[in-house]
Amino acid sequence: MRAMLCEEFGEPSVLTMGEVDEPVPGPGQVKVEVHSVGVNFPDLLLVAGKYQAKPSFPFSPGIECAGIVVELGEGVDELAVGDRVMCDTGYGCCSEYVLAYVHRTYKLPDAMPFDVAGGFTITYGTAYHALIDRAQIQPGEVLLVHGAAGGVGLNAVEIGRLLGAMVIGTVGSDAKIEIVKKYGADHVINYNKENFRDLVKNLTDGRGADVIYDPVGGDVFDQSMRCINWNGRLLVIGFASGRISEVKANLVLLKGCQVMGVIWGAFANMEIPKNRANFATLFDWVEQGKINPHISAYYPLEATGEAIELLQSREAKGKVIVRVRD
Ligand SMILES: NC(=O)c1ccc[n+]([C@@H]2O[C@H](COP(=O)([O-])OP(=O)(O)OC[C@H]3O[C@@H](n4cnc5c(N)ncnc54)[C@H](OP(=O)(O)O)[C@@H]3O)[C@@H](O)[C@H]2O)c1
């Protein structure tokens, strides 16, 4: 089969098209004919050799996709050949076929196109789990979302708004303000131009944000600890800035706040029924038109490197999709 391959760690441009054997599903796995792949920040880290998982060479990036089940591994009875699905796989989706564990594979609503479904699993799964399971956000609370135009960010803005929060988004360029407002933010701050810490305090009569959703880390995390409300929840989502956040325990104490780790992939393994229920709700929301995934760019399989570069350059808005088949 055709696959975009990483044979050495480096920039996304190291990826080249190659031929590898089709994978064979093991127990609890399905083989998926890949139609579309969602690009995620971890793809950049995987190819650079900076991700926690380091697959052996050659490997394909692509940690989530949508497609059709074409073969079942031993013991799989929840899915059937021919099912339209989305899944997350750890890596390997930028290929014609990939293996997915059945508990990380979700049957698609009939009307959901592959082009949309390919980029749904990870970012919506993460935003839902973070805001609802972890922060238990309440209507009327103030939600501050950093990197609000990015994959996990824009989904959090949308879900926060749907749940009745007052949403403040931060972005790194003015070009991203409009999309974040369109997805429901009441206020959008360009944190490269303005001090979000002071603005959040001003917008909340000095109280600060009740829930802070942080996929950026570094300085953004540090400043977030200074504008969190009493009883606030700071959700540690990721470190796109490149610097892992460090928690100052004195601030946690003084603010009476909680710093909460969020790792959706582990949750999906450890709390399978709960995760399935989350996806049932997400799919209901899709069918009712309550959420509407934003795809800003499509690339063919052979341009996977360029698709990942779009995230690296911070120009992507919402999701970027690699099309493997029409
Ligand atoms: N915890 C979990 O379960 C989980 C699940 C999925 C993803 N994540 C993590 O969440 C983070 C975001 O992932 P994503 O797929 O949503 O990525 P993405 O679409 O590229 O969004 C990341 C956002 O971070 C901002 N950013 C700030 N500094 C950056 C830098 N130096 N380089 C690139 N972007 C920078 C960018 O917004 P501005 O340019 O507007 O600042 C960008 O929109 C990653 O760290 C990822 O590993 C965590």
Side-chain angles (χ1 to χ4, degrees), residues 41 126 150-152 171-172 176 191 215 237 239-240 262-264 311 314:
F41 201 82
T126 300
V152 290
V171 291
K176 294 179 176 175
Y191 49 21
I237 307 292
F239 314 106
V262 176
I263 179 146
W264 171 73
L311 269 64
R314 299 171 72 167

Side-chain angles (χ1 to χ4, degrees), residues 39-42 45 51 122-123 126 147-153 170-173 176 191-192 215-216 236-242 262-265 311-312 314 316 318-319:
V39 181
N40 291 273
F41 201 82
L45 302 175
Y51 201 50
I122 290 177
T123 53
T126 300
V152 290
T170 62
V171 291
S173 71
K176 294 179 176 175
Y191 49 21
N192 283 332
V216 176
V236 179
I237 307 292
F239 314 106
S241 65
V262 176
I263 179 146
W264 171 73
L311 269 64
Q312 188 176 31
R314 299 171 72 167
K319 295 296 290 203

Side-chain angles (χ1 to χ4, degrees), residues 18-70:
E19 283 283 332
V20 291
D21 292 341
E22 289 184 20
V24 178
Q29 292 183 318
V30 293
K31 177 176 169 184
V32 177
E33 176 190 86
V34 180
H35 283 244
S36 72
V37 181
V39 181
N40 291 273
F41 201 82
D43 286 310
L44 182 59
L45 302 175
L46 258 174
V47 174
K50 294 179 180 166
Y51 201 50
Q52 53 260 48
K54 291 192 178 50
S56 48
F57 298 124
F59 70 89
S60 288
I63 65 175
E64 65 176 341
C65 70
I68 299 173
V69 174
V70 292

Side-chain angles (χ1 to χ4, degrees), residues 14 35 39 60 88 102 121 161 190 205 220 222 227 249 269 295:
V14 298
H35 283 244
V39 181
S60 288
D88 75 296
V102 74
T121 314
R161 177 65 178 207
N190 179 341
D205 295 327
V220 166
D222 296 344
C227 62
N269 282 341
I295 316 289

Side-chain angles (χ1 to χ4, degrees), residues 139-216:
E141 286 196 311
V142 176
L143 168 65
L144 173 62
V145 178
H146 294 306
V152 290
L154 198 61
N155 291 170
V157 169
E158 192 181 24
I159 291 176
R161 177 65 178 207
L162 180 62
L163 298 174
M166 193 268 249
V167 182
I168 304 172
T170 62
V171 291
S173 71
D174 288 349
K176 294 179 176 175
I177 291 175
E178 193 185 326
I179 187 73
V180 178
K181 283 204 167 145
K182 186 177 159 200
Y183 271 74
D186 299 271
H187 305 276
V188 185
I189 300 167
N190 179 341
Y191 49 21
N192 283 332
K193 276 188 176 170
E194 297 176 290
N195 180 327
F196 76 81
R197 163 188 168 178
D198 293 345
L199 288 172
V200 169
K201 288 273 196 147
N202 291 343
L203 288 167
T204 56
D205 295 327
R207 290 189 301 275
D210 300 297
V211 177
I212 303 183
Y213 179 97
D214 180 19
V216 176

